[in-house]
Amino acid sequence: MSKEYHCGVNRFTPRWVRRILSTHFNSACFVHDVNHNAGMDYKRADKVFLANMRIIAGKNPVLHAQAVVYYVAVRIFSKYKTWKTTKQR
């Protein structure tokens, strides 16, 4: 059985990159995907994502910095998806 990697955009990110991105925060990325698929608004899902990553990071400052980078990336992508959706209306 192959491992699922949940960090990164499946359509655009090669599996080997997703594996690297998922090293520490795979479970947080999974919950983020579930929240989006369940209909949670992007901003709330992204905030939960950051909170989960901070818990996983514990006292590791490098992982905290990585969590912020991931959070900024998903906020940018979420803003783009929201803009794209409203533009198509």
Side-chain angles (χ1 to χ4, degrees):
M1 184 171 139
S2 66
K3 181 169 173 64
E4 290 294 321
Y5 302 111
H6 298 283
C7 297
V9 181
N10 287 342
R11 291 176 288 174
F12 307 117
T13 311
R15 182 174 170 77
W16 67 271
V17 173
R18 285 184 286 135
R19 184 188 63 195
I20 293 167
L21 294 175
S22 298
T23 301
H24 299 290
F25 298 124
N26 197 45
S27 59
C29 293
F30 174 74
V31 170
H32 185 251
D33 292 347
V34 168
N35 288 340
H36 275 280
N37 292 334
M40 183 182 286
D41 69 273
Y42 291 136
K43 190 172 187 176
R44 176 75 180 131
D46 296 348
K47 285 183 178 184
V48 170
F49 180 49
L50 179 59
N52 288 338
M53 289 189 294
R54 284 182 167 164
I55 291 168
I56 292 167
K59 295 184 179 190
N60 185 324
V62 174
L63 290 182
H64 275 278
Q66 185 178 350
V68 171
V69 170
Y70 280 30
Y71 174 74
V72 170
V74 298
R75 287 305 300 144
I76 290 169
F77 192 69
S78 294
K79 292 268 188 190
Y80 169 75
K81 285 172 39 175
T82 301
W83 172 80
K84 187 176 175 184
T85 302
T86 55
K87 184 180 174 188
Q88 290 177 348
R89 289 183 190 173

